[in-house]
Structure formats: C-alpha cells, structure tokens
Amino acid sequence: WDALPISEKGFRIDGNSKGCRIVHASMAALNNKHCPHISFLPMEDSNGKVKCQESGMRSPLDVFTQWELDKIREKAAEHGLPPDTMFEEFEYQP
C-alpha cells in the first residue's frame, strides 16, 4: 500500500494506485462485485474485467460529472485541503 502512488500521471485514478482502490473499496462496501478491484494481484471481476492494475488514462470527467467534481472541490476546500490536489497523504500508523 505504502509504495502505491495516489494517482497515475495527470490525476488518473483508474490504475495501480491508492485512488483506484479507495474508489472501489467504497463501492465494495455497497456491492461486493467490486471486491476483486481492490486486490493487489490482478483479479477478474464477475464481468471478466481487471481493475486497479493498469491505467486506461481515463480523465476524472470520464468517471464524475462536472457538478460532482465541483462538489468534491467544494468539500475539499471546506476541509482545508490543498486546492491543487484536494487531498493530504499521511504516513500509515498501524
């Protein structure tokens, strides 16, 4: 986990990154068909697709609407997160 980047180049969160696993972990909490997507080893899902391994270079606008991205930026600002990244990364403390 610690060795993974937050995102792929250009703020892409569909590759072998923490961002991809965070998105799919939140989805897996509601739908267990997303569980294979958070695997560190390539694992096919129920549709035969492997996710969070190699980036398809998808843009955030391929995943979220502009309204959703604006809300994410708004919430990030409300919580004092940096406007350029909208997140802070902390060292894992077990």
Side-chain angles (χ1 to χ4, degrees):
W1 174 259
D2 288 338
L4 290 175
I6 288 290
S7 64
E8 299 281 339
K9 292 179 185 172
F11 203 62
R12 311 277 193 234
I13 59 168
D14 66 334
N16 192 14
S17 66
K18 292 175 184 170
C20 191
R21 285 179 177 78
I22 290 168
V23 167
H24 285 283
S26 65
M27 293 175 180
L30 303 173
N31 178 343
N32 65 5
K33 290 184 178 182
H34 288 273
C35 290
H37 301 164
I38 59 177
S39 174
F40 289 101
L41 299 175
M43 184 182 290
E44 287 186 1
D45 65 15
S46 60
N47 295 316
K49 299 200 183 248
V50 176
K51 307 265 177 127
C52 296
Q53 296 297 320
E54 194 171 314
S55 178
M57 299 310 288
R58 295 182 68 193
S59 157
L61 281 169
D62 293 335
V63 181
F64 301 103
T65 66
Q66 187 61 54
W67 181 86
E68 290 170 322
L69 290 172
D70 291 343
K71 287 295 178 187
I72 291 168
R73 283 185 187 92
E74 184 180 300
K75 288 296 177 187
E78 285 176 17
H79 291 280
L81 296 172
D84 58 333
T85 61
M86 297 180 288
F87 69 84
E88 286 182 295
E89 187 172 6
F90 297 94
E91 181 125 357
Y92 173 67
Q93 301 284 327

